[in-house]
Amino acid sequence: LPGAIGMYGLSLGVSRVGENLPAPVYALLSGLNAATVGIIIYAAVQLAKKAITDKLTRVLVFFGASSGMLYTALWFFPVLLVGAGLITVMWDFGWLHRIVKPLRKRRSVDQWTDHENANIQNTPNAIEMRISSTNGPCQPAQEDLQRSALDPPDLVTENNEAILADETPSMLSARTGIIVIIAFMIFFVTIMILRGLLTNPPRGYSLFANLTLAGTIIFGGGPVVIPLLREYIVANGWVSPRDFLFGLALLQCFPGPNFNLVVYLGSLATQGSSLSSATGALIAFLGIFAPGIAIQTGIMGIWKILRLQRWFLCLLRGVNATAVGFIYTAVYKLWTIGYLDESSQTGSSLGRDPWWVIITATSFVGGAWFGLSAPMAIVLGAALGLLWYAVVKT
């Protein structure tokens, strides 16, 4: 809450800033943006280490990042998440192995034909034994048994039985949890249907609907929210790219989660409408946080059931890996609009000058290996941006 209040105060100040800024301010903002990209890269790497448990999740992280870079739409991100979850379920239960194993068997037989006299282990029986000893139908990969995308790492036993390290009893019954989830789904579907039917909805409703959608499909929290907020708010023209980047950079200096950025964006998004900035901030706050609270409350009631369902854990594994890939999408998007000056108010690539690359690398290396905190990285980036202006522009 303190961070949300601070971001709202920041929005009041930014709303009074004119369209054109002094040249040193643009250099400072560019330095902030470059440092922010480095911070997000570091967060993406850390989250990827936890999300990647085998080759499949590694592919899903790459797939999520690449897909988000190539195409962005309001419906695209949730479709990717659901598809990745289903693919992981099919893979872990061995359904996709029925397609892969004949190819592996054919390749192994070909290798044996070429080297049949080289090693006795290349006999057909040995090859067949090696094929059959690999992951059979409905068996997860060996790495899946050793690690899980969820903490704690011993979420799955060697007998493939899901367990939960924390056996704290739930305060909600399964029936209550199901009722909460069903009620939320009815509410969510109603909001989305009205969002599609209304030809010219009020700004407040559009803001609430977009952030409700973002709050529902966000998985993993943290930097995952950044590409969605940019697509659902900045792309609609409610907030300028410059103000979005400025808020994102200073957010790293405030306490609380990255979700607090919506308070800042909601306040700015309602400018020029009949709603006050405080109302816009409140709408955005409720839109992004209410879905997570409702879903988590419902899940708490039925978690004792879900934690014993292997398909559910597999589904989360795929969704989590793809969501981490979206963070790399955010890195790419922010990199392409991070540099600001008088001639490019909407932003251009930070790669136009090696200095901004150095600031990004400094932020990443400092956080990864020297314990540089995010606020200090932001301050350092701003200082290096001003140094660039002093050397290059003067």
Side-chain angles (χ1 to χ4, degrees), residues 10 44 55 68 76 78 125 138 161 173 221 237-238 328 336 342 359 363:
L10 177 64
K55 292 182 178 180
F76 190 56
N125 291 334
C138 300
E161 295 177 354
S173 64
W238 300 339
Y328 292 95
T336 58
E342 299 88 342
I359 295 178
S363 178

Side-chain angles (χ1 to χ4, degrees), residues 8-29:
Y8 174 68
L10 177 64
S11 71
L12 297 180
V14 172
S15 64
R16 291 169 171 79
V17 176
E19 182 177 352
N20 295 317
L21 300 174
V25 176
Y26 285 114
L28 182 145
L29 291 177

Side-chain angles (χ1 to χ4, degrees), residues 8 11-12 207 262-271 276-278 280-281 284:
Y8 174 68
S11 71
L12 297 180
L207 177 65
V262 302
V263 176
Y264 168 87
L265 298 176
S267 175
L268 294 179
T270 53
Q271 285 187 346
S276 64
S277 60

Side-chain angles (χ1 to χ4, degrees), residues 33-50:
N33 296 336
T36 301
V37 172
I39 293 173
I40 297 175
I41 294 175
Y42 176 59
V45 172
Q46 292 298 104
L47 291 174
K49 289 180 180 179
K50 296 181 179 180

Side-chain angles (χ1 to χ4, degrees), residues 67-142:
S67 301
M69 293 177 190
L70 295 174
Y71 184 75
T72 54
L74 295 178
W75 58 268
F76 190 56
F77 290 111
V79 170
L80 287 179
L81 291 175
V82 173
L86 295 177
I87 289 175
T88 309
V89 171
M90 291 188 292
W91 178 265
D92 286 352
F93 277 80
W95 300 334
L96 293 181
H97 289 274
R98 299 174 184 176
I99 301 176
V100 176
K101 287 182 67 175
L103 300 178
R104 294 173 58 187
K105 181 178 180 180
R106 184 179 307 165
R107 184 178 61 182
S108 299
V109 172
D110 291 341
Q111 292 176 351
W112 169 77
T113 303
D114 295 336
H115 306 283
E116 56 182 347
N117 296 323
N119 194 313
I120 191 172
Q121 293 183 352
N122 286 339
T123 62
N125 291 334
I127 294 174
E128 186 63 29
M129 289 177 61
R130 287 198 296 272
I131 294 175
S132 60
S133 64
T134 59
N135 305 318
C138 300
Q139 295 294 329
Q142 184 63 28

Side-chain angles (χ1 to χ4, degrees), residues 377-393:
I378 293 297
V379 173
L380 180 60
L384 292 176
L386 292 176
L387 178 62
W388 174 85
Y389 175 80
V391 173
V392 176
K393 295 297 184 180

Side-chain angles (χ1 to χ4, degrees), residues 57-280:
T57 47
R58 193 182 304 276
V59 170
L60 290 177
V61 170
F62 173 77
F63 174 74
S66 303
S67 301
M69 293 177 190
L70 295 174
Y71 184 75
T72 54
L74 295 178
W75 58 268
F76 190 56
F77 290 111
V79 170
L80 287 179
L81 291 175
V82 173
L86 295 177
I87 289 175
T88 309
V89 171
M90 291 188 292
W91 178 265
D92 286 352
F93 277 80
W95 300 334
L96 293 181
H97 289 274
R98 299 174 184 176
I99 301 176
V100 176
K101 287 182 67 175
L103 300 178
R104 294 173 58 187
K105 181 178 180 180
R106 184 179 307 165
R107 184 178 61 182
S108 299
V109 172
D110 291 341
Q111 292 176 351
W112 169 77
T113 303
D114 295 336
H115 306 283
E116 56 182 347
N117 296 323
N119 194 313
I120 191 172
Q121 293 183 352
N122 286 339
T123 62
N125 291 334
I127 294 174
E128 186 63 29
M129 289 177 61
R130 287 198 296 272
I131 294 175
S132 60
S133 64
T134 59
N135 305 318
C138 300
Q139 295 294 329
Q142 184 63 28
E143 295 181 3
D144 299 349
L145 299 176
Q146 296 173 354
R147 298 178 58 196
S148 171
L150 301 175
D151 290 326
D154 57 345
L155 195 59
V156 179
T157 66
E158 60 183 5
N159 295 323
N160 304 336
E161 295 177 354
I163 61 173
L164 182 63
D166 185 5
E167 295 293 341
T168 303
S170 174
M171 298 178 62
L172 299 176
S173 64
R175 179 177 179 179
T176 303
I178 294 174
I179 292 175
V180 170
I181 292 178
I182 292 176
F184 170 74
M185 293 306 300
I186 294 174
F187 167 78
F188 175 72
V189 171
T190 302
I191 293 293
M192 293 299 104
I193 291 176
L194 292 176
R195 177 178 174 272
L197 294 178
L198 296 176
T199 56
N200 190 21
R203 176 67 59 83
Y205 180 81
S206 298
L207 177 65
F208 180 76
N210 282 9
L211 290 179
T212 300
L213 175 60
T216 302
I217 66 175
I218 287 174
F219 190 90
V224 178
V225 73
I226 295 173
L228 298 180
L229 293 181
R230 184 180 182 276
E231 183 65 26
Y232 293 175
I233 294 181
V234 178
N236 289 322
W238 300 339
V239 177
S240 68
R242 184 198 71 181
D243 292 345
F244 175 81
L245 292 171
F246 183 67
L248 177 61
L250 293 187
L251 173 68
Q252 313 305 321
C253 301
F254 284 87
N258 285 337
F259 287 82
N260 285 334
L261 180 63
V262 302
V263 176
Y264 168 87
L265 298 176
S267 175
L268 294 179
T270 53
Q271 285 187 346
S273 66
S274 59
L275 299 175
S276 64
S277 60
T279 303

